[in-house]
Amino acid sequence: MSTVSDKVTFATPVPGGLLDASVWGGKVYTGGEWRSSASTLRVREPATGETLGVVGESQPTDLPAIVEHAQRVQAKWALKPAEERAALMRHAARVFEDARPALLDAIQRETGGVRGKAEVELGGSIDELYHAAALLIQPEGQILPSSNPERLSLARRVPLGVVGVIAPWNFPLLLAMRSVAPAIALGNAVILKPDPQTPIVGGAIIARAFEEAGLPAGLFNLINGGAAVGEALVEARGVRMITFTGSTAVGRRVGELAGKHIKRVALELGGKSPFIVLDDADLEAAAAAGAWGSFLHQGQICMASGRHIVLRKVADEYAEILARKARALPVGDPFREHVAIGPLINEKQLARVDKIVQDSVAGGAQLLAGGTHKGPYYNPTVLYHVTPSMPAYELEIFGPVAPIVVAEDEEDAIRIANDTDYGLSGAVQTGSLERGLRVARQIRSGLVHINDQTIHDFAGIPFGGRGTSGNGSRFGSVSNVDEFTEWQWMTVGGKPTPYPF
Ligand code: NAD
């Protein structure tokens, strides 16, 4: 266990800026205040093991008071004019924009990602705030046909109350912000629990930005911890909705607890997204897209291309090009060197990735590239002739590994693409738009792309998965209104309705 005085290594944080640990070091943010806690969590840089900071650790018993305060503040916030709420979201976006270079460094170091990944994450998070503000120019309901001409009948969208947000470590800022921003803009209060490996860029800076923007105290709360605190948040009385982004295994548990307490739950879970290469595709372009889809951020992305399904006629050539690309990708510390592939998040994940690769090779897969690692860096790996009996076929790997499965024809490719319980993303590479459409339409996924790869997201789309990739929730665009508000039927009359009783 570390103490607050541990050295903080973010490059010269601006005093009072979002990354100034003298504000948030060793603390959690609840009820509008930074509060010291009995225990702390050390935040480690995946590339070097250095301490980036120390944050306060929450206890399950902290929740009732946080929820009670949040409920009181939320009731007032929901009555604020939409433009006032929107202005606050835009203000928070500007706070992030003003701190851009330091935040990019911090995202890179805490998540172990390349600069471009940090740019996408920060830019996407700022977009989420502006999109949340823009939601507030939408109509808030409908005028319904009335059974009584003397009375007006309305359906209005009303906030849920207090929303709990549980986020993972791979894109900690963005995957928190895509729930936090629309939930607050639409009149809710939020309690965020980031992953304990990324609580600074996934939590502290969000609290600081809202604090700078002048959000009412207690409307946004940050708690830190692992499974125990997460479960307490799901079970806390007064928390009306949980949004969870993470593994399917934990999502099942969260869904179970939410069901028990009759709460709305949005689950955004894992994936094994198919990347189909038809025999008329431009193979060089397809392999470039496929390499991006499997190796970006070391494959630690829910939408990563999990199976390269290639028609037999072009499979050998495609595999060779992909392996050549994999071998050419520079690997190292992305904050200090110009590389494409950084470290895996932790040793447990490294060991898991390696076991999937080695077991698949032992089961008959051909290793065309990678399969080795140095320290936390797993080399981009290409496995050829992967079949259903191998773990690389079935499991979400969450590492820089491209399993290639050979398909006999289009129909076989579609069958293999859907031979999984997951259903997050998908992609088809082909020289024919007609074939692309025919195949893409038959992939069972929440997202699908023709002549592209599987990793795409943007605040303006309905993001979400099918099957065990999610429970049908969708984040982004106007689906945020469906997720973070509920209908209330209201009737209005100028005079009391007469009754015979
Ligand atoms: P994880 O499920 O282990 O952890 C996610 C979050 O849940 C963390 O904050 C963690 O502390 C918390 N948690 C753990 N146990 C809990 C419990 N019992 N109750 C409540 N909260 C608990 O996931 P991970 O390994 O950090 O993230 C990787 C997974 O996330 C992958 O499967 C990936 O595909 C998925 N993911 C999905 C999306 C999406 O949008 N569909 C996006 C990113 C990541």
Side-chain angles (χ1 to χ4, degrees):
M1 191 68 58
S2 306
T3 64
V4 191
S5 62
D6 274 16
K7 191 168 152 263
V8 171
T9 58
F10 280 137
T12 38
V14 180
L18 302 190
L19 287 162
D20 182 351
S22 70
V23 179
W24 49 258
K27 299 190 173 127
V28 292
Y29 184 73
T30 60
E33 282 176 36
W34 290 99
R35 296 172 205 264
S36 296
S37 52
S39 54
T40 55
L41 296 167
R42 182 173 88 94
V43 187
R44 195 189 139 267
E45 180 172 25
T48 60
E50 273 181 50
T51 299
L52 295 175
V54 174
V55 298
E57 185 177 28
S58 307
Q59 300 304 322
T61 48
D62 298 341
L63 274 155
I66 300 169
V67 176
E68 195 268 328
H69 188 184
Q71 282 178 308
R72 273 189 285 123
V73 183
Q74 185 273 328
K76 294 194 189 116
W77 174 246
L79 298 176
K80 295 263 187 218
E83 183 43 38
E84 201 174 311
R85 285 181 275 134
L88 220 137
M89 292 297 125
R90 293 192 296 266
H91 191 158
R94 286 195 300 275
V95 173
F96 277 125
E97 280 167 348
D98 290 346
R100 195 180 271 270
L103 293 183
L104 291 175
D105 288 355
I107 293 170
Q108 273 200 274
R109 297 189 65 190
E110 201 169 329
T111 67
V114 298
R115 195 70 170 180
K117 181 264 181 191
E119 278 165 2
V120 165
E121 176 155 18
L122 182 58
S125 305
I126 292 168
D127 282 352
E128 289 290 346
L129 286 159
Y130 284 123
H131 276 250
L135 280 178
L136 301 180
I137 58 171
Q138 303 284 332
E140 288 175 8
Q142 300 166 0
I143 298 176
L144 304 176
S146 179
S147 56
N148 177 348
E150 309 267 298
R151 298 184 66 80
L152 191 61
S153 177
L154 308 165
R156 48 192 297 261
R157 298 295 310 193
V158 294
L160 301 162
V162 181
V163 174
V165 177
I166 301 178
W169 46 262
N170 57 345
F171 280 71
L173 176 60
L174 179 59
L175 298 179
M177 196 57 88
R178 74 175 177 187
S179 289
V180 170
I184 294 181
L186 291 164
N188 301 284
V190 163
I191 303 173
L192 167 67
K193 192 206 79 62
D195 189 281
Q197 294 166 109
T198 50
I200 303 173
V201 297
I205 64 168
I206 301 176
R208 288 287 296 116
F210 282 129
E211 198 181 17
E212 291 290 305
L215 194 74
L219 204 61
F220 173 83
N221 302 274
L222 169 65
I223 59 173
N224 289 315
V229 173
E231 292 197 8
L233 176 59
V234 180
E235 296 205 89
R237 185 154 184 251
V239 172
R240 293 310 319 149
M241 177 193 188
I242 293 290
T243 82
F244 172 84
T245 305
S247 62
T248 295
V250 176
R252 273 186 219 283
R253 173 74 182 145
V254 168
E256 211 175 279
L257 290 175
K260 181 173 149 198
H261 295 280
I262 327 266
K263 296 186 181 192
R264 183 182 287 192
V265 62
L267 302 173
E268 294 293 342
L269 310 174
K272 188 72 179 170
S273 298
F275 176 79
I276 298 178
V277 182
L278 298 184
D279 47 11
D280 59 354
D282 171 340
L283 294 186
E284 195 64 42
W292 182 271
S294 283
F295 304 141
L296 182 66
H297 198 42
Q298 298 78 261
Q300 302 171 122
I301 300 181
C302 53
M303 296 166 276
S305 303
R307 277 182 199 152
H308 296 231
I309 303 164
V310 188
L311 294 204
R312 186 174 295 282
K313 206 166 124 196
V314 295
D316 283 356
E317 195 182 342
Y318 175 81
E320 203 182 298
I321 304 173
L322 186 66
R324 172 169 42 82
K325 287 187 186 292
R327 285 191 292 265
L329 288 172
V331 179
D333 175 352
F335 184 64
R336 295 167 183 86
E337 301 161 57
H338 192 68
V339 295
I341 306 289
L344 290 186
I345 188 73
N346 58 40
E347 279 174 19
K348 195 172 154 214
Q349 192 55 22
L350 186 85
R352 183 178 172 276
V353 170
D354 194 46
K355 182 163 169 42
I356 293 174
V357 170
Q358 303 313 334
D359 286 355
S360 297
V361 172
Q366 209 178 323
L367 185 66
L368 298 187
T372 52
H373 64 96
K374 198 168 164 199
Y377 306 102
Y378 206 87
N379 289 313
T381 297
V382 177
L383 293 173
Y384 192 27
H385 292 299
V386 169
T387 60
S389 61
M390 301 168 193
Y393 181 91
E394 187 65 30
L395 300 175
E396 179 184 43
I397 302 177
F398 239 55
V401 180
I404 302 176
V405 184
V406 177
E408 299 308 329
D409 52 27
E410 240 177 72
E411 207 178 308
D412 195 33
I414 294 162
R415 181 191 61 75
I416 297 166
N418 290 331
D419 185 22
T420 169
D421 291 336
Y422 290 119
L424 189 51
S425 187
V428 190
Q429 293 277 334
T430 171
S432 151
L433 189 52
E434 193 191 340
R435 286 181 85 190
L437 278 167
R438 185 167 64 226
V439 172
R441 277 201 188 111
Q442 296 179 72
I443 296 178
R444 197 194 58 244
S445 64
L447 326 162
V448 70
H449 307 285
I450 297 167
N451 284 330
D452 212 321
Q453 46 76 45
T454 54
I455 304 171
H456 289 286
D457 188 14
F458 166 59
I461 60 120
F463 183 97
R466 293 161 73 180
T468 54
S469 290
N471 64 338
S473 53
R474 292 291 181 268
F475 291 138
S477 180
V478 287
S479 28
N480 281 330
V481 177
D482 295 333
E483 292 297 330
F484 296 109
T485 65
E486 56 195 339
W487 284 113
Q488 182 187 46
W489 179 43
M490 176 187 267
T491 71
V492 188
K495 287 189 291 221
T497 305
Y499 287 97
F501 282 15

